[in-house]
Amino acid sequence: MATIKVMTVAGLAVLGLSGGVRAQDCDPGKSGYDLTGEEAAEVYDCIAEGLKAGYDSGPKRWIPAEFVADYRGWTAASAFPAAPGMHSERFLLTFVNDTGAEAYMQYAEDPVIPAGTVIAKESFSVSEAGKVTPGPLFLMQKVAAGTSPETLDWYYMAVAPSGAPMGLDVMTACNECHLGYDFQGGLGYPVEDARISN
Ligand code: HEC
C-alpha cells in the first residue's frame, strides 16, 4: 500500500525530532551482515529512545494503545537484537507480557500459551552500506481458544516507525508465514543464540 511507504518516511522525520537522536547518528558504518551481537546491541542502545518515541506517536486506532506504551516494561526474550537467518539485515528484539513470559520463554514445541499473552517485537535494519533504519513494531495477541481458529487464536498487528497502525491484510502478511510454525503454536522464536530462558 502506498500509504505505508509515506508513513515510513514520516517515521524517520519523527525519529529525527524526538529524543534528540537522529537515526543516521547511529549508523555503524558497517554492513548489517557483518555486525556481531555486541555491535548490534550498540546500534540498538543508540536508536532505542527514538525508536520508542516513534512507535508512541499518534493514535493507535484498532491497536490497544497500552501494548505499545507498555511493552518495554515486559520481559525481554532476546539478549541482543538478532538477525534471523544467515543473510538478514533486519534485527529483532522480542518482549513478552507477564501473562505469557513463562510459557513463551520455554521455546517449546506445542507450547501452551495462555490467552491474554501479548508479544512485541521491535525491528530495525542495517543496510549493506551500514545505514540504520527503524522498522515496524510487530505484535501478537493470544485470544480465547476458538476465537480465531484460522490463526491459531493469534491476533496480528503492526505499528510503523512513525507510530501509525499499519493497515495490512494480516492473513497474508503475517498469518500465512506463522502457520508454517504450527508445530510451535504459530511462534517463530528468536534465534537460539539470542534467547533468554526462564
Ligand atoms: C516470512 C515469514 C514471516 C512473516 C511474513 C511474519 N513473520 Fe512474524 N516471525 C517470523 C519468524 C521466523 C519469527 C521468529 C524470528 C525472530 O523473532 O527472531 C517471527 C516472530 C514474530 C513475533 C515474536 C513472537 C514469535 O513468533 O516468536 C511477532 C510478535 C511477530 N513475528 C509478528 C508478526 C506480524 C504482526 C507479522 C505481519 C505484519 C509477521 N510477524 C509476519 C516469521 C514471519
Short mmCIF file of all heavy atoms in Angstrom, two decimals, residues 60-125:
data_model
loop_
_atom_site.label_atom_id
_atom_site.label_comp_id
_atom_site.label_asym_id
_atom_site.label_seq_id
_atom_site.Cartn_x
_atom_site.Cartn_y
_atom_site.Cartn_z
N LYS A 60 -3.45 5.06 18.01
CA LYS A 60 -3.20 3.67 17.66
C LYS A 60 -4.43 3.00 17.04
O LYS A 60 -4.38 1.86 16.62
CB LYS A 60 -2.73 2.88 18.90
CG LYS A 60 -1.41 3.35 19.42
CD LYS A 60 -0.28 3.08 18.43
CE LYS A 60 0.97 3.88 18.72
NZ LYS A 60 0.94 5.25 18.14
N ARG A 61 -5.56 3.69 17.07
CA ARG A 61 -6.80 3.21 16.44
C ARG A 61 -7.15 1.80 16.90
O ARG A 61 -7.44 1.59 18.05
CB ARG A 61 -6.68 3.36 14.93
CG ARG A 61 -6.45 4.82 14.56
CD ARG A 61 -6.30 5.07 13.09
NE ARG A 61 -7.43 4.60 12.32
CZ ARG A 61 -7.41 4.45 11.00
NH1 ARG A 61 -6.32 4.72 10.32
NH2 ARG A 61 -8.48 4.03 10.37
N TRP A 62 -7.08 0.79 16.05
CA TRP A 62 -7.55 -0.55 16.43
C TRP A 62 -6.52 -1.33 17.25
O TRP A 62 -6.79 -2.43 17.70
CB TRP A 62 -7.94 -1.36 15.18
CG TRP A 62 -6.78 -1.64 14.27
CD1 TRP A 62 -5.92 -2.71 14.34
CD2 TRP A 62 -6.33 -0.85 13.17
NE1 TRP A 62 -4.97 -2.61 13.34
CE2 TRP A 62 -5.20 -1.49 12.62
CE3 TRP A 62 -6.78 0.35 12.60
CZ2 TRP A 62 -4.51 -0.97 11.52
CZ3 TRP A 62 -6.08 0.86 11.51
CH2 TRP A 62 -4.97 0.21 10.98
N ILE A 63 -5.37 -0.77 17.44
CA ILE A 63 -4.35 -1.47 18.23
C ILE A 63 -4.42 -0.97 19.67
O ILE A 63 -4.36 0.24 19.91
CB ILE A 63 -2.95 -1.23 17.65
CG1 ILE A 63 -2.89 -1.78 16.22
CG2 ILE A 63 -1.87 -1.83 18.54
CD1 ILE A 63 -1.57 -1.56 15.51
N PRO A 64 -4.58 -1.88 20.66
CA PRO A 64 -4.64 -1.42 22.06
C PRO A 64 -3.40 -0.57 22.41
O PRO A 64 -2.27 -1.06 22.34
CB PRO A 64 -4.68 -2.72 22.86
CG PRO A 64 -5.28 -3.72 21.90
CD PRO A 64 -4.75 -3.33 20.54
N ALA A 65 -3.65 0.69 22.75
CA ALA A 65 -2.56 1.65 22.94
C ALA A 65 -1.61 1.20 24.05
O ALA A 65 -0.41 1.48 24.00
CB ALA A 65 -3.13 3.03 23.24
N GLU A 66 -2.15 0.48 25.04
CA GLU A 66 -1.28 0.10 26.16
C GLU A 66 -0.23 -0.93 25.74
O GLU A 66 0.84 -1.00 26.34
CB GLU A 66 -2.11 -0.38 27.36
CG GLU A 66 -2.83 -1.71 27.20
CD GLU A 66 -4.22 -1.56 26.57
OE1 GLU A 66 -4.51 -0.50 25.95
OE2 GLU A 66 -5.02 -2.51 26.67
N PHE A 67 -0.51 -1.71 24.71
CA PHE A 67 0.52 -2.66 24.24
C PHE A 67 1.77 -1.88 23.84
O PHE A 67 2.89 -2.24 24.18
CB PHE A 67 0.05 -3.46 23.02
CG PHE A 67 -1.10 -4.41 23.25
CD1 PHE A 67 -1.66 -5.10 22.17
CD2 PHE A 67 -1.62 -4.63 24.51
CE1 PHE A 67 -2.71 -5.99 22.36
CE2 PHE A 67 -2.68 -5.51 24.71
CZ PHE A 67 -3.23 -6.18 23.62
N VAL A 68 1.54 -0.80 23.09
CA VAL A 68 2.65 -0.02 22.55
C VAL A 68 3.30 0.79 23.68
O VAL A 68 4.52 0.90 23.77
CB VAL A 68 2.15 0.90 21.42
CG1 VAL A 68 3.30 1.71 20.82
CG2 VAL A 68 1.45 0.08 20.33
N ALA A 69 2.47 1.33 24.56
CA ALA A 69 3.00 2.16 25.66
C ALA A 69 3.85 1.32 26.62
O ALA A 69 4.87 1.78 27.12
CB ALA A 69 1.86 2.83 26.41
N ASP A 70 3.44 0.06 26.84
CA ASP A 70 3.97 -0.71 27.98
C ASP A 70 5.03 -1.76 27.65
O ASP A 70 5.71 -2.24 28.55
CB ASP A 70 2.83 -1.46 28.68
CG ASP A 70 1.79 -0.54 29.29
OD1 ASP A 70 2.06 0.68 29.37
OD2 ASP A 70 0.71 -1.03 29.67
N TYR A 71 5.19 -2.15 26.39
CA TYR A 71 5.95 -3.38 26.11
C TYR A 71 7.40 -3.35 26.60
O TYR A 71 7.97 -4.38 26.94
CB TYR A 71 5.90 -3.74 24.61
CG TYR A 71 6.78 -2.88 23.75
CD1 TYR A 71 8.13 -3.20 23.58
CD2 TYR A 71 6.30 -1.72 23.15
CE1 TYR A 71 8.95 -2.39 22.83
CE2 TYR A 71 7.12 -0.92 22.40
CZ TYR A 71 8.44 -1.25 22.24
OH TYR A 71 9.26 -0.44 21.52
N ARG A 72 7.98 -2.16 26.70
CA ARG A 72 9.38 -2.10 27.15
C ARG A 72 9.52 -2.53 28.62
O ARG A 72 10.61 -2.85 29.07
CB ARG A 72 9.95 -0.69 26.99
CG ARG A 72 10.36 -0.34 25.56
CD ARG A 72 11.82 -0.60 25.30
NE ARG A 72 12.19 -0.29 23.93
CZ ARG A 72 12.72 0.87 23.52
NH1 ARG A 72 12.92 1.85 24.37
NH2 ARG A 72 13.05 1.04 22.26
N GLY A 73 8.40 -2.51 29.34
CA GLY A 73 8.42 -2.96 30.74
C GLY A 73 8.15 -4.45 30.88
O GLY A 73 8.17 -4.97 31.99
N TRP A 74 7.91 -5.14 29.76
CA TRP A 74 7.66 -6.58 29.82
C TRP A 74 8.99 -7.33 29.92
O TRP A 74 10.06 -6.73 29.99
CB TRP A 74 6.89 -7.02 28.58
CG TRP A 74 5.54 -6.37 28.42
CD1 TRP A 74 4.87 -5.61 29.33
CD2 TRP A 74 4.72 -6.41 27.25
NE1 TRP A 74 3.67 -5.18 28.79
CE2 TRP A 74 3.55 -5.66 27.51
CE3 TRP A 74 4.83 -7.02 25.98
CZ2 TRP A 74 2.52 -5.51 26.58
CZ3 TRP A 74 3.82 -6.86 25.05
CH2 TRP A 74 2.67 -6.12 25.35
N THR A 75 8.91 -8.66 29.86
CA THR A 75 10.13 -9.48 29.94
C THR A 75 10.78 -9.59 28.57
O THR A 75 10.12 -9.94 27.59
CB THR A 75 9.78 -10.89 30.46
OG1 THR A 75 9.11 -10.74 31.72
CG2 THR A 75 11.02 -11.73 30.64
N ALA A 76 12.06 -9.27 28.51
CA ALA A 76 12.79 -9.41 27.25
C ALA A 76 13.10 -10.88 27.02
O ALA A 76 13.60 -11.57 27.91
CB ALA A 76 14.08 -8.60 27.29
N ALA A 77 12.80 -11.37 25.83
CA ALA A 77 13.09 -12.76 25.48
C ALA A 77 14.36 -12.86 24.64
O ALA A 77 14.85 -13.95 24.39
CB ALA A 77 11.91 -13.38 24.73
N SER A 78 14.88 -11.71 24.20
CA SER A 78 16.12 -11.70 23.42
C SER A 78 17.20 -10.98 24.21
O SER A 78 16.96 -9.92 24.76
CB SER A 78 15.95 -10.95 22.10
OG SER A 78 14.71 -11.18 21.51
N ALA A 79 18.42 -11.56 24.22
CA ALA A 79 19.53 -10.95 24.95
C ALA A 79 20.15 -9.80 24.17
O ALA A 79 20.76 -8.91 24.73
CB ALA A 79 20.59 -12.01 25.25
N PHE A 80 20.00 -9.82 22.86
CA PHE A 80 20.52 -8.76 21.99
C PHE A 80 19.70 -8.78 20.71
O PHE A 80 19.04 -9.77 20.41
CB PHE A 80 22.02 -8.96 21.69
CG PHE A 80 22.35 -10.30 21.09
CD1 PHE A 80 22.31 -10.50 19.71
CD2 PHE A 80 22.70 -11.39 21.90
CE1 PHE A 80 22.60 -11.73 19.15
CE2 PHE A 80 22.99 -12.63 21.35
CZ PHE A 80 22.94 -12.80 19.97
N PRO A 81 19.71 -7.66 19.96
CA PRO A 81 18.94 -7.65 18.71
C PRO A 81 19.57 -8.62 17.72
O PRO A 81 20.75 -8.49 17.38
CB PRO A 81 19.06 -6.21 18.20
CG PRO A 81 19.85 -5.46 19.20
CD PRO A 81 20.47 -6.42 20.16
N ALA A 82 18.81 -9.61 17.29
CA ALA A 82 19.38 -10.67 16.45
C ALA A 82 18.74 -10.66 15.08
O ALA A 82 17.56 -10.35 14.92
CB ALA A 82 19.16 -12.02 17.11
N ALA A 83 19.53 -10.97 14.08
CA ALA A 83 19.04 -11.10 12.72
C ALA A 83 18.84 -12.58 12.42
O ALA A 83 19.80 -13.34 12.45
CB ALA A 83 20.05 -10.50 11.75
N PRO A 84 17.60 -13.00 12.19
CA PRO A 84 17.37 -14.42 11.90
C PRO A 84 17.92 -14.77 10.53
O PRO A 84 17.86 -13.98 9.61
CB PRO A 84 15.85 -14.56 11.94
CG PRO A 84 15.30 -13.20 11.70
CD PRO A 84 16.36 -12.21 12.10
N GLY A 85 18.45 -15.96 10.41
CA GLY A 85 18.98 -16.41 9.12
C GLY A 85 20.38 -15.87 8.90
O GLY A 85 20.82 -14.95 9.58
N MET A 86 21.06 -16.41 7.94
CA MET A 86 22.46 -16.06 7.69
C MET A 86 22.57 -14.66 7.10
O MET A 86 23.51 -13.94 7.34
CB MET A 86 23.07 -17.05 6.70
CG MET A 86 23.28 -18.43 7.27
SD MET A 86 24.59 -18.43 8.51
CE MET A 86 26.03 -18.35 7.42
N HIS A 87 21.61 -14.30 6.27
CA HIS A 87 21.77 -13.07 5.50
C HIS A 87 20.56 -12.14 5.64
O HIS A 87 19.95 -11.77 4.66
CB HIS A 87 22.02 -13.39 4.04
CG HIS A 87 23.32 -14.07 3.84
ND1 HIS A 87 24.53 -13.44 3.98
CD2 HIS A 87 23.62 -15.35 3.54
CE1 HIS A 87 25.50 -14.28 3.77
NE2 HIS A 87 24.98 -15.45 3.50
N SER A 88 20.26 -11.80 6.86
CA SER A 88 19.17 -10.86 7.05
C SER A 88 19.76 -9.56 7.54
O SER A 88 20.70 -9.55 8.32
CB SER A 88 18.19 -11.41 8.07
OG SER A 88 17.26 -10.42 8.40
N GLU A 89 19.21 -8.47 7.07
CA GLU A 89 19.69 -7.19 7.58
C GLU A 89 18.71 -6.61 8.59
O GLU A 89 18.88 -5.51 9.07
CB GLU A 89 19.97 -6.20 6.45
CG GLU A 89 18.89 -6.10 5.40
CD GLU A 89 19.24 -5.08 4.32
OE1 GLU A 89 20.39 -5.09 3.84
OE2 GLU A 89 18.37 -4.26 3.99
N ARG A 90 17.66 -7.37 8.91
CA ARG A 90 16.68 -6.88 9.88
C ARG A 90 16.98 -7.48 11.26
O ARG A 90 17.08 -8.69 11.41
CB ARG A 90 15.27 -7.27 9.44
CG ARG A 90 14.21 -6.78 10.41
CD ARG A 90 12.81 -6.95 9.89
NE ARG A 90 12.39 -5.79 9.11
CZ ARG A 90 11.17 -5.65 8.60
NH1 ARG A 90 10.28 -6.60 8.74
NH2 ARG A 90 10.85 -4.57 7.93
N PHE A 91 17.11 -6.60 12.23
CA PHE A 91 17.40 -7.02 13.60
C PHE A 91 16.15 -6.93 14.45
O PHE A 91 15.37 -5.99 14.32
CB PHE A 91 18.51 -6.15 14.20
CG PHE A 91 19.84 -6.38 13.55
CD1 PHE A 91 20.16 -5.74 12.35
CD2 PHE A 91 20.76 -7.24 14.10
CE1 PHE A 91 21.38 -5.97 11.73
CE2 PHE A 91 21.99 -7.48 13.50
CZ PHE A 91 22.30 -6.83 12.30
N LEU A 92 15.96 -7.92 15.31
CA LEU A 92 14.71 -8.07 16.05
C LEU A 92 14.97 -8.22 17.54
O LEU A 92 15.97 -8.81 17.95
CB LEU A 92 13.99 -9.34 15.57
CG LEU A 92 13.77 -9.44 14.07
CD1 LEU A 92 13.40 -10.85 13.68
CD2 LEU A 92 12.73 -8.44 13.62
N LEU A 93 14.05 -7.68 18.32
CA LEU A 93 14.14 -7.76 19.78
C LEU A 93 12.74 -8.05 20.32
O LEU A 93 11.82 -7.28 20.03
CB LEU A 93 14.66 -6.42 20.32
CG LEU A 93 15.42 -6.42 21.62
CD1 LEU A 93 16.66 -7.30 21.53
CD2 LEU A 93 15.85 -5.00 21.97
N THR A 94 12.60 -9.11 21.08
CA THR A 94 11.27 -9.61 21.45
C THR A 94 10.99 -9.44 22.94
O THR A 94 11.87 -9.71 23.77
CB THR A 94 11.16 -11.10 21.06
OG1 THR A 94 11.40 -11.22 19.67
CG2 THR A 94 9.79 -11.68 21.38
N PHE A 95 9.79 -8.99 23.26
CA PHE A 95 9.34 -8.79 24.65
C PHE A 95 8.01 -9.51 24.83
O PHE A 95 7.18 -9.51 23.92
CB PHE A 95 9.10 -7.30 24.94
CG PHE A 95 10.30 -6.42 24.76
CD1 PHE A 95 10.66 -5.95 23.50
CD2 PHE A 95 11.06 -6.04 25.86
CE1 PHE A 95 11.77 -5.11 23.34
CE2 PHE A 95 12.17 -5.20 25.70
CZ PHE A 95 12.52 -4.74 24.45
N VAL A 96 7.77 -10.09 26.02
CA VAL A 96 6.53 -10.82 26.29
C VAL A 96 5.91 -10.30 27.59
O VAL A 96 6.64 -10.08 28.57
CB VAL A 96 6.79 -12.34 26.44
CG1 VAL A 96 5.48 -13.10 26.45
CG2 VAL A 96 7.70 -12.85 25.33
N ASN A 97 4.59 -10.12 27.59
CA ASN A 97 3.95 -9.59 28.80
C ASN A 97 3.91 -10.66 29.91
O ASN A 97 4.23 -11.83 29.67
CB ASN A 97 2.56 -8.99 28.48
CG ASN A 97 1.50 -10.06 28.21
OD1 ASN A 97 1.80 -11.25 28.08
ND2 ASN A 97 0.26 -9.63 28.12
N ASP A 98 3.51 -10.23 31.10
CA ASP A 98 3.54 -11.12 32.28
C ASP A 98 2.73 -12.38 32.08
O ASP A 98 3.11 -13.45 32.55
CB ASP A 98 3.01 -10.38 33.51
CG ASP A 98 4.00 -9.35 34.04
OD1 ASP A 98 5.16 -9.37 33.56
OD2 ASP A 98 3.62 -8.54 34.91
N THR A 99 1.60 -12.26 31.39
CA THR A 99 0.72 -13.42 31.21
C THR A 99 1.45 -14.54 30.46
O THR A 99 1.25 -15.72 30.76
CB THR A 99 -0.54 -13.00 30.42
OG1 THR A 99 -1.15 -11.90 31.09
CG2 THR A 99 -1.52 -14.15 30.29
N GLY A 100 2.29 -14.18 29.52
CA GLY A 100 2.84 -15.20 28.64
C GLY A 100 4.32 -15.48 28.76
O GLY A 100 4.83 -16.43 28.15
N ALA A 101 5.04 -14.67 29.56
CA ALA A 101 6.50 -14.76 29.55
C ALA A 101 7.00 -16.17 29.88
O ALA A 101 7.84 -16.73 29.18
CB ALA A 101 7.10 -13.74 30.52
N GLU A 102 6.45 -16.77 30.94
CA GLU A 102 6.96 -18.08 31.36
C GLU A 102 6.75 -19.13 30.27
O GLU A 102 7.66 -19.91 29.95
CB GLU A 102 6.29 -18.49 32.67
CG GLU A 102 7.10 -19.55 33.38
CD GLU A 102 6.43 -20.04 34.66
OE1 GLU A 102 5.72 -19.24 35.31
OE2 GLU A 102 6.64 -21.22 34.97
N ALA A 103 5.55 -19.17 29.72
CA ALA A 103 5.24 -20.17 28.70
C ALA A 103 6.05 -19.94 27.42
O ALA A 103 6.62 -20.88 26.86
CB ALA A 103 3.74 -20.14 28.39
N TYR A 104 6.13 -18.70 26.97
CA TYR A 104 6.84 -18.40 25.72
C TYR A 104 8.32 -18.75 25.83
O TYR A 104 8.91 -19.35 24.93
CB TYR A 104 6.67 -16.92 25.37
CG TYR A 104 7.41 -16.50 24.11
CD1 TYR A 104 6.83 -16.65 22.86
CD2 TYR A 104 8.70 -15.95 24.17
CE1 TYR A 104 7.49 -16.26 21.69
CE2 TYR A 104 9.38 -15.56 23.02
CZ TYR A 104 8.78 -15.72 21.79
OH TYR A 104 9.45 -15.34 20.65
N MET A 105 8.92 -18.38 26.99
CA MET A 105 10.37 -18.48 27.12
C MET A 105 10.88 -19.88 27.38
O MET A 105 12.05 -20.09 27.65
CB MET A 105 10.85 -17.47 28.16
CG MET A 105 10.67 -16.04 27.60
SD MET A 105 10.91 -14.73 28.79
CE MET A 105 12.68 -14.81 29.05
N GLN A 106 10.00 -20.86 27.24
CA GLN A 106 10.47 -22.25 27.19
C GLN A 106 10.80 -22.64 25.75
O GLN A 106 11.37 -23.69 25.51
CB GLN A 106 9.41 -23.17 27.78
CG GLN A 106 9.28 -22.96 29.28
CD GLN A 106 8.05 -23.62 29.88
OE1 GLN A 106 7.48 -24.54 29.28
NE2 GLN A 106 7.64 -23.14 31.03
N TYR A 107 10.37 -21.83 24.78
CA TYR A 107 10.65 -22.07 23.36
C TYR A 107 10.30 -23.51 22.98
O TYR A 107 11.06 -24.22 22.33
CB TYR A 107 12.11 -21.72 23.03
CG TYR A 107 12.48 -20.36 23.56
CD1 TYR A 107 13.28 -20.22 24.70
CD2 TYR A 107 11.96 -19.20 22.99
CE1 TYR A 107 13.59 -18.97 25.23
CE2 TYR A 107 12.25 -17.94 23.51
CZ TYR A 107 13.07 -17.84 24.63
OH TYR A 107 13.35 -16.61 25.15
N ALA A 108 9.15 -23.94 23.46
CA ALA A 108 8.76 -25.34 23.35
C ALA A 108 8.07 -25.63 22.01
O ALA A 108 7.54 -24.74 21.36
CB ALA A 108 7.80 -25.67 24.49
N GLU A 109 8.11 -26.91 21.65
CA GLU A 109 7.20 -27.39 20.62
C GLU A 109 5.86 -27.54 21.29
O GLU A 109 5.80 -27.89 22.47
CB GLU A 109 7.69 -28.74 20.07
CG GLU A 109 8.90 -28.58 19.19
CD GLU A 109 9.14 -29.80 18.29
OE1 GLU A 109 8.26 -30.68 18.20
OE2 GLU A 109 10.22 -29.83 17.68
N ASP A 110 4.80 -27.30 20.57
CA ASP A 110 3.45 -27.36 21.13
C ASP A 110 3.34 -26.63 22.46
O ASP A 110 2.91 -27.22 23.46
CB ASP A 110 3.02 -28.82 21.32
CG ASP A 110 2.65 -29.46 19.99
OD1 ASP A 110 2.11 -28.75 19.12
OD2 ASP A 110 2.92 -30.66 19.83
N PRO A 111 3.73 -25.37 22.54
CA PRO A 111 3.64 -24.65 23.81
C PRO A 111 2.17 -24.39 24.19
O PRO A 111 1.32 -24.33 23.31
CB PRO A 111 4.32 -23.32 23.50
CG PRO A 111 4.06 -23.11 22.04
CD PRO A 111 4.09 -24.49 21.42
N VAL A 112 1.93 -24.28 25.48
CA VAL A 112 0.59 -23.89 25.94
C VAL A 112 0.68 -22.42 26.32
O VAL A 112 1.21 -22.07 27.38
CB VAL A 112 0.13 -24.76 27.14
CG1 VAL A 112 -1.26 -24.33 27.59
CG2 VAL A 112 0.15 -26.23 26.77
N ILE A 113 0.21 -21.56 25.43
CA ILE A 113 0.32 -20.11 25.62
C ILE A 113 -1.02 -19.58 26.13
O ILE A 113 -2.03 -19.72 25.45
CB ILE A 113 0.68 -19.41 24.29
CG1 ILE A 113 1.96 -20.00 23.67
CG2 ILE A 113 0.80 -17.90 24.50
CD1 ILE A 113 3.25 -19.68 24.39
N PRO A 114 -1.04 -19.00 27.33
CA PRO A 114 -2.33 -18.55 27.87
C PRO A 114 -2.94 -17.39 27.09
O PRO A 114 -2.22 -16.52 26.58
CB PRO A 114 -1.98 -18.10 29.30
CG PRO A 114 -0.52 -18.08 29.41
CD PRO A 114 0.09 -18.77 28.23
N ALA A 115 -4.28 -17.39 27.01
CA ALA A 115 -4.99 -16.25 26.42
C ALA A 115 -4.62 -15.01 27.22
O ALA A 115 -4.46 -15.08 28.44
CB ALA A 115 -6.50 -16.48 26.48
N GLY A 116 -4.46 -13.90 26.55
CA GLY A 116 -4.02 -12.67 27.21
C GLY A 116 -2.54 -12.41 27.03
O GLY A 116 -2.04 -11.33 27.36
N THR A 117 -1.82 -13.41 26.51
CA THR A 117 -0.41 -13.21 26.20
C THR A 117 -0.29 -12.19 25.07
O THR A 117 -1.03 -12.25 24.09
CB THR A 117 0.23 -14.54 25.74
OG1 THR A 117 0.22 -15.46 26.83
CG2 THR A 117 1.66 -14.34 25.23
N VAL A 118 0.65 -11.26 25.22
CA VAL A 118 0.97 -10.34 24.13
C VAL A 118 2.49 -10.34 23.94
O VAL A 118 3.24 -10.30 24.92
CB VAL A 118 0.49 -8.89 24.40
CG1 VAL A 118 0.69 -8.01 23.16
CG2 VAL A 118 -0.99 -8.87 24.80
N ILE A 119 2.89 -10.45 22.69
CA ILE A 119 4.31 -10.46 22.34
C ILE A 119 4.58 -9.27 21.43
O ILE A 119 3.81 -9.02 20.49
CB ILE A 119 4.70 -11.77 21.62
CG1 ILE A 119 4.23 -12.98 22.43
CG2 ILE A 119 6.20 -11.84 21.38
CD1 ILE A 119 4.34 -14.30 21.68
N ALA A 120 5.63 -8.53 21.73
CA ALA A 120 6.00 -7.37 20.92
C ALA A 120 7.40 -7.59 20.38
O ALA A 120 8.29 -8.05 21.11
CB ALA A 120 5.96 -6.09 21.77
N LYS A 121 7.58 -7.28 19.13
CA LYS A 121 8.90 -7.45 18.52
C LYS A 121 9.30 -6.17 17.82
O LYS A 121 8.68 -5.76 16.85
CB LYS A 121 8.85 -8.62 17.53
CG LYS A 121 10.19 -9.04 17.01
CD LYS A 121 10.10 -10.30 16.19
CE LYS A 121 9.56 -9.99 14.82
NZ LYS A 121 9.67 -11.17 13.91
N GLU A 122 10.35 -5.53 18.34
CA GLU A 122 10.87 -4.32 17.71
C GLU A 122 11.77 -4.72 16.55
O GLU A 122 12.37 -5.79 16.58
CB GLU A 122 11.74 -3.55 18.71
CG GLU A 122 11.01 -3.07 19.94
CD GLU A 122 11.96 -2.28 20.86
OE1 GLU A 122 13.13 -2.66 20.98
OE2 GLU A 122 11.50 -1.30 21.43
N SER A 123 11.90 -3.83 15.58
CA SER A 123 12.81 -4.15 14.49
C SER A 123 13.52 -2.90 13.98
O SER A 123 13.01 -1.78 14.08
CB SER A 123 12.05 -4.82 13.34
OG SER A 123 11.17 -3.91 12.70
N PHE A 124 14.72 -3.12 13.50
CA PHE A 124 15.44 -2.08 12.75
C PHE A 124 16.33 -2.81 11.77
O PHE A 124 16.61 -3.99 11.92
CB PHE A 124 16.25 -1.16 13.68
CG PHE A 124 17.36 -1.84 14.45
CD1 PHE A 124 18.65 -1.91 13.92
CD2 PHE A 124 17.13 -2.41 15.69
CE1 PHE A 124 19.69 -2.53 14.64
CE2 PHE A 124 18.15 -3.03 16.42
CZ PHE A 124 19.43 -3.09 15.89
N SER A 125 16.73 -2.10 10.73
CA SER A 125 17.61 -2.77 9.79
C SER A 125 18.89 -1.98 9.60
O SER A 125 18.94 -0.76 9.83
CB SER A 125 16.91 -3.02 8.46
OG SER A 125 16.39 -1.81 7.98
#
